[in-house]
Structure formats: C-alpha cells, structure tokens
Amino acid sequence: MKAVQGRLILLGLAVIASVVLFIPSTPLFPHMPEWWKEYLPNKGITLGLDLQGGIHLVLEVESDRAVEIAMDRLMNNMTDILAEKKIPVESVKRTTPTEITVTLVSPTDKDALLKIADDQFTILTASSPSDRVVVFSMKAQEAERIKKQSVNQALETIRNRIDEFGVAEPLIQQQGPRQIVVQLPGVKDPARAKALIKNTALLEFKMLDEDSPLAKELPSGVPVGKEGDIAREFGPKIPPEDEILFERTVDKDSRLVTKKAYLVKKRAVLTGDVLTDARVSIGEFQNAYVSINFDSTGAKLFERITAENVKKRMDNTVYSAPVIQERIGGGRAQITGSFTTEEANDLAIVLRAGALPAPVKIIQDLTVGPSLGRDSIAKGVRSTIIAGGVVIFFMVLYYRMSGAIADFALILNLICLLGALAGLNATLTLPGIAGIILTIGMGVDSNVLIFERIREELRTGKPVRPAIDAGYDKAFLTIVDSHVTTLITGLALFLFGTGPIKGFAVTLCLGIAINLFTALVGTKVIFDLINRRGKVERLSI
C-alpha cells in the first residue's frame, strides 16, 4: 500500500514540476501573475538556430599572425631599450615570423646587447652569425603558447562583443585547435553581426609621415576595392618605416563611399590597451563620434605625444587624421569619421570588448531565414503528431486497455521531457525534435517488453496481479540494459558533437532517462490503482 502511494506521489510531483517548468515556453506565460514570474522559472525552452533563424559561423584564428604581432612588439621594445641604453645600431628588424635581426654599429656592444636580452627578453634565444649581427629567435614552446593563448583570447573577445551586441542565447565554443563556432539565433542583420565579430579593431595612434615626398603623390579619392592597386603602384616608393593606410569617407550629398590614402609611420605611438572606456556621442552637427578615455598611463602618454607633435597629424588607423593643435590632457580623446550612429556604436563595442589578438577568417557561413525556421517548426510538430498518433493507435489496437495505459505513459514522457528541457533552459533544434520522436519509439518499446512478459505469465495460469508484478520484474533488467547502452551513445554524441548533433543528443539522453521513470513507475501506478479497486480476474492485454 505504501509503495503504491509513494509511486503515486512521485508521479504527481513529476507532472506538476514539468508543467510549471514548461509554462514559460507557452503563449500563456505573458498572462501569468507577477508573483509567478518573480519566484518561478521564467525562461523556458530556447529555439535553436534552425528553428528561429540566424547565422552559423565557423571562424579560424590566424594564430601564426599572433606570433608575428608578438615579435613586432618585442622588436619595438628592444629598439626603445637600445636607444635608452645608448647602444648604436644600424637596424633592428624582424627577418622571419619568429626572428629579429639586430645589426650593431660596433662589435664591442654585442655583450651589452646579449645581457639586455638575457635580462628582459627571456622568451628569445640568441645566435651570432657575425661580430656585429645578433639573431634573436622565439622559443618553440613560447610560440606554441602564444598560438593557444590567441585562440582563447579570441574566444573571450568574441563572446564579450556578442554579449554587448545583445544576442539572446548565443553559442560560442572552440572547435579544434584554431577554430571557433559561433551561432547567433534570431539575428536580423547578419552582415552587421559578422562585421562586428570579424573586426580586429586594434586601436593604434600613429603619426602621419607628411615630410616624405610620397605623401603628396597619394590620391585623395580611391574607389572601394581598389586599395590593393594603390599599394602595388606605390609599394616600391614606400620608406621601410612607413605604410599606406586608408580612411573611409562618405560624400554628404551623393553618399558615395571612397577611401583616402595616407602615408603613416608603421610604429604606433599609442595602442588601445590603455583604454578604459569607449562611448558613442553626438556632435554639435548631429554627427556621431566615439569618445574614448585612457587610464593613467595612457593619459600621460597621450599628453606627451600631443605635446611633442603639435601641428602634426595623428592617424588612428582608418577612422580619422586630426591635426594636433595643442597639448591634450585629461586622458580623453575622440574618434571621428564619416560613419553612422550604428557604425559608431559597433566601433565602441569592439573597443570596449578589446581587440582580437590576431585576425580571424570565416571558413563557414550559414544564414537561416526566420521563414525557414517557421517551416521547420511546423514540419517538426507535424512529424511528432503523426508519429505519436500512429504509435497510440497501434498500442490501443494491439494491447487494448493495457495499450491505452502505455499511451498515458507516452504522453507523460513528452510532458516530463518538455519540462526538463525548459528547466535546463536547453536549446531545441530540428535534430532535437527528431530525438523526441525517437524517444516516443523507445518509450513504447519498453512497454512492449513489459506487456509481452505479462502475457507469458498469464499463459502459465498466474492471477492478474502476480502476473503484472512478475512481468515488471523480469523486464526490468532488459529495459535498463537497452536504455543504458543508448544513453552511453547519446553522451558520446553530446561530448564530441557540435551544434545540431548536440541538440539531438540532449533530447535523446533526457528522453531515455525520463522513459525509464514513466515506463517502470508511470504505468505501474495505473495497474496498481486498477488492482486496488477489487480483484481483477481478467486483464485486457
């Protein structure tokens, strides 16, 4: 008696909990009282990319480029230290992605150079092919560490940008050594989202080289897409310490977008790592600009740089080239350019979230429209109803009243499964719906095993109640064995799969676990209640 009551209470609690968890996923939720939304779960099931539309990207981090960037920073630091120590050099340049070659003026300074390297550049190893030349190579383990770190940092930076962009339930995870999978359900402007993710956004303040004759030869207007032609045309004339960068300009009347070429010093006088904030502001003529604040170190550097370069032009990569009229203190600056409020907001987001440590390229790009998602939902629901209807009809036709009890367990299984998905705030995908349909088949399969065992016991002449108990006892191990093996497969899919495969694995694993409960407890409760009403002489099975 107590066992029956315990199973009944357990079943009732499972149903109530499932319904409460599932309600936020239904149209009823907006009409629920405020106390419900405050104290009870309020998230529900999240629809995946293939059901509500959005974008699926696979990005590859160019981690080799991260090593080159690190070597360039080391080269600049080495140049500064040698100038500070007053060690004359002919050149300091990166000759390969992982090597810096220093050519000294005098061989007597080589020992001093090697001592500096031992003290301050421990990740480099030195070799000397001649008296005045020292080659510094990055250690292999350090290069590998930088590559791994660049992927981890890119993952975190992209996640921060997407969080500020405001996408609900994004999926951002590493795939393989250098790839990052990004899924953004419900995004209505895929081009903007992709630009925000891919933008390296390394803020650098550089001085224009207006003293070079080449600066006057560069064209003021370059059609978009022709930047490479300009770089090739003027490439042989560019001084080794300079490079050509382009500023985007928009004609106020025609809105024609062109590029303006600048000759810029390669070395940045200030970088974005000293930024503390970046916000969009509106100017006096309703033009959008980005207001940036520096930390204490950046503020001092910015003030010193502007003081030393009055009447010279500073360029912050491709956004603007202002003339420095006077010393600028206070740790504040502005980035102006021909961009809209939306473009200025995106720039502020990437500056706040931080720069990507290395460029990323999109190697897979899939966009799913919302209409396709609605069609997928309709087809998935239709498939579930058809599959469930056929199974319910067959069970009633073949097992009669016992089949109806199995159908009750099947409906209970679906209620508990949807409640579990909502409680875990899981993402439901189209393969996930396939997993639900498969669970329907698995649930009926368990009841078929039990019913066939009960039939065997009845054929031997046993009364109904002992036959039912024996049927459950003898089918127990077989049911558990089949469910555990399927559960192991589902866990493997979840651990090693990505995207839709994980969605399928989640619903399959939850369905298998819940089916054990509904098949062994749910139907047993109904049989126990029937037997309690009186002695049952014949079972409809």
Side-chain angles (χ1 to χ4, degrees):
M1 185 71 68
K2 289 183 179 179
V4 175
Q5 291 176 345
R7 282 196 290 265
L8 188 59
I9 292 171
L10 186 61
L11 187 64
L13 290 175
V15 174
I16 292 170
S18 299
V19 172
V20 168
L21 291 171
F22 182 62
I23 280 178
S25 303
T26 68
L28 294 173
F29 187 66
H31 306 290
M32 302 303 288
E34 288 302 319
W35 61 265
W36 180 290
K37 298 178 183 179
E38 185 176 353
Y39 296 107
L40 294 175
N42 58 7
K43 283 193 173 181
I45 297 175
T46 302
L47 297 181
L49 183 71
D50 50 358
L51 295 182
Q52 66 169 311
I55 59 175
H56 171 92
L57 301 174
V58 178
L59 309 172
E60 185 173 71
V61 181
E62 297 180 17
S63 51
D64 292 336
R65 178 73 184 121
V67 176
E68 294 179 16
I69 292 170
M71 289 298 289
D72 287 338
R73 288 177 180 168
L74 290 171
M75 181 182 68
N76 291 334
N77 291 341
M78 190 176 291
T79 303
D80 290 340
I81 292 171
L82 291 175
E84 185 183 332
K85 299 288 185 182
K86 296 182 179 178
I87 298 177
V89 294
E90 283 187 7
S91 64
V92 180
K93 56 186 178 181
R94 180 168 58 82
T95 47
T96 71
T98 57
E99 288 184 352
I100 298 172
T101 300
V102 180
T103 305
L104 297 165
V105 173
S106 171
T108 56
D109 293 322
K110 187 166 75 169
D111 290 339
L113 172 61
L114 293 174
K115 186 177 185 309
I116 291 171
D118 286 341
D119 293 341
Q120 303 190 39
F121 299 96
T122 55
I123 66 172
L124 301 176
T125 57
S127 60
S128 181
S130 68
D131 291 340
R132 293 192 304 114
V133 177
V134 179
V135 178
F136 295 97
S137 303
M138 180 177 284
K139 296 176 182 177
Q141 63 268 29
E142 287 296 329
E144 199 59 37
R145 181 189 62 81
I146 290 172
K147 289 179 182 180
K148 290 181 180 177
Q149 185 178 339
S150 68
V151 177
N152 294 334
Q153 188 179 338
L155 186 69
E156 191 61 32
T157 300
I158 291 171
R159 183 175 286 115
N160 291 339
R161 291 182 184 181
I162 290 171
D163 287 345
E164 292 211 32
F165 189 59
V167 179
E169 304 300 332
L171 172 67
I172 307 154
Q173 62 184 19
Q174 186 173 342
Q175 176 181 283
R178 297 198 302 175
Q179 293 179 2
I180 298 173
V181 176
V182 178
Q183 289 187 358
L184 306 179
V187 170
K188 295 179 174 58
D189 190 352
R192 182 186 172 200
K194 282 184 273 192
L196 185 70
I197 293 168
K198 191 179 176 183
N199 191 355
T200 305
L202 176 61
L203 179 66
E204 294 180 327
F205 292 90
K206 298 182 177 183
M207 302 305 301
L208 268 63
D209 189 1
E210 295 183 302
D211 297 330
S212 173
L214 178 61
K216 299 178 177 61
E217 298 179 28
L218 295 176
S220 57
V222 180
V224 176
K226 298 293 183 182
E227 299 91 339
D229 297 340
I230 299 299
R232 283 190 292 272
E233 180 183 347
F234 293 96
K237 301 179 184 179
I238 300 175
E241 68 278 4
D242 291 348
E243 62 181 335
I244 295 177
L245 294 178
F246 298 89
E247 178 189 7
R248 178 180 179 270
T249 59
V250 182
D251 187 86
K252 292 183 179 178
D253 298 323
S254 64
R255 306 304 297 172
L256 179 67
V257 180
T258 56
K259 296 291 186 74
K260 185 174 182 180
Y262 291 105
L263 187 66
V264 180
K265 296 285 187 182
K266 282 183 180 179
R267 188 174 180 188
V269 293
L270 194 65
T271 58
D273 56 357
V274 292
L275 252 65
T276 58
D277 195 16
R279 300 285 170 188
V280 178
S281 302
I282 303 298
E284 140 181 44
F285 300 104
Q286 299 304 307
N287 57 312
Y289 65 89
V290 179
S291 176
I292 56 178
N293 293 336
F294 298 105
D295 60 18
S296 57
T297 303
K300 291 176 184 176
L301 282 171
F302 191 65
E303 185 174 358
R304 178 179 62 79
I305 291 162
T306 53
E308 293 173 355
N309 294 279
V310 172
K311 297 302 178 185
K312 293 185 180 180
R313 302 180 81 191
M314 174 179 280
D315 173 59
N316 53 325
T317 61
V318 296
Y319 290 102
S320 64
V323 178
I324 300 170
Q325 300 291 355
E326 60 184 6
R327 177 199 299 261
I328 302 175
R332 291 186 178 89
Q334 296 175 3
I335 301 177
T336 59
S338 302
F339 37 59
T340 64
T341 304
E342 191 176 78
E343 291 169 338
N345 185 58
D346 289 349
L347 174 60
I349 287 175
V350 295
L351 291 178
R352 284 198 303 271
L356 288 173
V360 297
K361 59 183 178 182
I362 298 174
I363 60 175
Q364 186 179 347
D365 181 357
L366 175 65
T367 302
V368 180
S371 59
L372 183 59
R374 285 193 294 270
D375 291 343
S376 298
I377 293 174
K379 290 177 180 177
V381 172
R382 194 182 308 125
S383 301
T384 305
I385 292 173
I386 292 172
V390 170
V391 169
I392 288 171
F393 177 75
F394 171 79
M395 292 300 290
V396 172
L397 181 67
Y398 194 75
Y399 290 107
R400 304 192 180 182
M401 187 196 74
S402 298
I405 294 173
D407 292 337
F408 162 76
L410 185 61
I411 295 169
L412 182 65
N413 190 346
L414 288 175
I415 293 172
C416 292
L417 176 56
L418 293 174
L421 289 172
L424 295 172
N425 195 26
T427 300
L428 182 63
T429 61
L430 193 59
I433 294 176
I436 293 174
I437 296 171
L438 181 60
T439 301
I440 292 174
M442 293 287 292
V444 171
D445 180 59
S446 301
N447 287 288
V448 168
L449 288 173
I450 294 170
F451 293 166
E452 290 302 322
R453 286 289 188 178
I454 293 173
R455 277 181 168 181
E456 289 178 5
E457 297 299 321
L458 291 173
R459 288 193 195 105
T460 62
K462 277 188 179 181
V464 172
R465 182 156 190 165
I468 292 173
D469 292 339
Y472 275 90
D473 290 341
K474 291 183 177 179
F476 177 79
L477 289 177
T478 305
I479 293 171
V480 170
D481 178 65
S482 63
H483 281 61
V484 168
T485 52
T486 308
L487 188 62
I488 292 171
T489 304
L491 289 173
L493 289 175
F494 180 79
L495 291 173
F496 302 109
T498 58
I501 296 175
K502 276 199 171 186
F504 173 79
V506 167
T507 53
L508 180 63
C509 291
L510 284 175
I512 291 299
I514 292 169
N515 185 56
L516 275 173
F517 171 76
T518 57
L520 298 175
V521 176
T523 55
K524 189 67 164 62
V525 166
I526 304 299
F527 283 121
D528 288 340
L529 291 175
I530 292 172
N531 284 312
R532 280 182 65 188
R533 296 180 63 182
K535 188 175 180 182
V536 179
E537 299 291 342
R538 193 161 185 266
L539 182 65
S540 177
I541 195 169

